[in-house]
Amino acid sequence: MRSRSPGTNARLAAKKKYTYAAFFLVASLVSFTVQTELAAYVQNGLGWDKAYCMLYLTHGSWSFLWPLQLLFLRWKSREPWPQFWRRHKMLIRSTAQMVERQELDVPLGLTSYSPWPYLIRTTAFVTISLTVAGLSWYLAVSMTTPSDLTAIYNCSAFFAYAFSVPLLKERLRLDKSAAVAIAIVGVLVVAYGDGNGGSSSEGPSLDGGKRLLGNLIIGVGSVLYGLYEVLYKRFACPPEGTSAGRGIIFANTFGSLIGCFTLFVLWIPLPILHILGIETFELPTGRTALLLFTSVVMNMIFAGSFLVLISLTSPVLSSVAALLTIFIVAIVDWFLTGIPPTAAAVFGGLLIIGAFAMLSWSTWREMAEDERKRREVDLSGDDDDLGSDKDDD
């Protein structure tokens, strides 16, 4: 009986959660790197520079997250389809009710209440925040280098921390603040530490003024993306204590809702941009279409992985973990172009990695403190059902 104490259950659940998180972290790093390189090549190398159309296609692809997840869950299940489908719908519905109320135990009298109005409202404002932030990425991808793009966009980690304090009631800690300051310095070194930029994969085609404008655009997008991450965590993720499997399933389900909102609502600017001559609508063909399709698939994988990562951990830790893509993209640029990263890129990258280590250690200490307090207060065994959602794994 002592071996299954609340503290033991909490540790086992946390270990399972962060094992999943590590897997999705790797998936997000690889897919983001491939997407970055392909998107830059499609726009710069092949001349298909359609920022909003590319955004529409990539975010619209998120609608496939839930169907693909459903196929995977069905493949794992041995239940008859009617029983499997009924249980899956109940899981989604009950999790949505938990998300709306931010409670693990929804009162029995409210279980019949439909969560769809809340989900529709939440999907709308989260998707709009994401779209505005994401559009800046596609606008800037043809104006700056992949390494700069990755570095500045991943500054969303620090804006996520800033927004987490008022919206998620996260404690303001000196060690985290110091890490944020170091990482910002690292980003500035990567972006402006030398005359040619942190990566030179585009060669002399990028003049200083164009690159500066691209960096400013992506900087605004970075702020908005940090806000999107915190809004998603605050209004679309299950409360703390939810099982890892349930969190993963609902994260991909909400990702599909974002994709569907994009497909059915955000097509409206396409004909407007075409009529005004701002962006002529033109679907790619041949090799461009193939590479764009691959980039879209990579974005879908990244989106699903990153949404799961935020749900299982936090916007700050997830965003800071994504900073690892800075070195990965710089190394890939090196192999593709034969031009090694500059000293500024290496030094700035080391600063960012050091900041990531500091934030990770701070987050781990904070989690350990919270778990210790929970065990001290929760001796009655209220956490015994922490992993009770065994059917959602």
Side-chain angles (χ1 to χ4, degrees):
M1 296 294 292
R2 296 288 296 176
S3 66
R4 302 299 293 176
S5 65
T8 301
N9 285 337
R11 284 192 297 273
L12 291 175
K15 181 180 179 181
K16 185 175 185 180
K17 177 182 292 187
Y18 289 100
T19 299
Y20 282 133
F23 171 80
F24 286 105
L25 170 62
V26 173
S28 65
L29 293 178
V30 173
S31 57
F32 185 84
T33 302
V34 176
Q35 179 212 351
T36 299
E37 295 292 346
L38 287 177
Y41 181 68
V42 166
Q43 290 192 282
N44 295 325
L46 300 179
W48 198 80
D49 193 4
K50 311 287 184 183
Y52 189 81
C53 186
M54 186 177 285
L55 176 74
Y56 177 78
L57 293 174
T58 52
H59 287 184
S61 70
W62 297 16
S63 58
F64 291 100
L65 287 172
W66 175 76
L68 291 173
Q69 174 182 256
L70 187 66
L71 288 175
F72 175 75
L73 294 174
R74 180 57 185 157
W75 174 71
K76 284 182 56 181
S77 176
R78 298 174 180 268
E79 295 177 321
W81 169 257
Q83 182 179 353
F84 166 81
W85 177 239
R86 182 173 62 254
R87 186 166 60 85
H88 183 73
K89 288 193 300 182
M90 290 177 58
L91 174 67
I92 298 298
R93 180 187 179 91
S94 62
T95 308
Q97 292 171 336
M98 292 163 58
V99 169
E100 181 175 7
R101 296 185 58 83
Q102 286 299 300
E103 296 177 357
L104 289 174
D105 299 317
V106 179
L108 187 61
L110 297 177
T111 55
S112 60
Y113 177 77
S114 174
W116 277 108
Y118 175 82
L119 286 179
I120 292 173
R121 292 194 305 270
T122 304
T123 300
F125 70 76
V126 169
T127 305
I128 291 172
S129 301
L130 170 66
T131 301
V132 176
L135 183 59
S136 71
W137 192 93
Y138 288 99
L139 287 173
V141 74
S142 62
M143 304 173 69
T144 186
T145 66
S147 291
D148 286 3
L149 187 72
T150 304
I152 297 174
Y153 199 56
N154 280 326
C155 262
S156 61
F158 317 118
F159 297 111
Y161 180 44
F163 289 123
S164 292
V165 173
L167 293 178
L168 300 180
K169 309 302 180 185
E170 184 161 332
R171 287 170 288 179
L172 188 62
R173 300 173 63 108
L174 180 60
D175 49 0
K176 284 188 176 182
S177 301
V180 166
I182 292 173
I184 290 177
V185 171
V187 169
L188 293 176
V189 169
V190 171
Y192 305 108
D194 61 273
N196 296 321
S199 177
S200 306
S201 61
E202 283 78 2
S205 61
L206 291 175
D207 61 76
K210 182 177 181 181
R211 183 178 167 206
L212 176 60
L213 179 60
N215 287 343
L216 290 175
I217 292 174
I218 201 63
V220 173
S222 177
V223 177
L224 296 176
Y225 198 81
L227 177 61
Y228 146 73
E229 292 171 325
V230 175
L231 290 177
Y232 165 69
K233 180 67 174 181
R234 170 63 181 83
F235 297 104
C237 289
E240 290 297 322
T242 305
S243 68
R246 183 183 286 262
I248 292 171
I249 290 173
F250 192 78
N252 282 309
T253 302
F254 191 80
S256 275
L257 292 178
I258 292 176
C260 290
F261 185 90
T262 300
L263 289 177
F264 296 119
V265 176
L266 297 182
W267 63 268
I268 297 174
L270 287 172
I272 297 176
L273 294 173
H274 180 81
I275 294 172
L276 295 178
I278 298 175
E279 181 179 297
T280 304
F281 181 77
E282 180 183 6
L283 291 176
T285 58
R287 185 163 179 258
T288 303
L290 178 61
L291 293 178
L292 179 61
F293 173 77
T294 306
S295 177
V296 167
V297 172
M298 289 297 104
N299 180 268
M300 180 186 67
I301 296 173
F302 167 74
S305 301
F306 198 66
L307 289 175
V308 169
L309 200 59
I310 294 175
S311 180
L312 295 182
T313 58
S314 72
V316 180
L317 189 62
S318 302
S319 297
V320 171
L323 291 174
L324 298 173
T325 58
I326 295 172
F327 256 2
I328 297 175
V329 170
I331 292 172
V332 171
D333 287 346
W334 184 5
F335 280 104
L336 291 178
T337 66
I339 303 174
T342 63
V346 173
F347 180 64
L350 289 176
L351 287 176
I352 294 169
I353 291 175
F356 164 69
M358 290 177 62
L359 279 169
S360 298
W361 174 247
S362 176
T363 302
W364 176 258
R365 286 176 52 201
E366 193 171 356
M367 289 165 48
E369 291 173 6
D370 290 342
E371 181 180 342
R372 184 169 59 252
K373 291 178 182 178
R374 189 162 54 245
R375 276 187 286 171
E376 290 174 354
V377 175
D378 229 356
L379 295 178
S380 62
D382 290 341
D383 286 345
D384 285 344
D385 61 349
L386 185 64
S388 61
D389 298 316
K390 60 185 179 181
D391 58 344
D392 54 53
D393 293 341

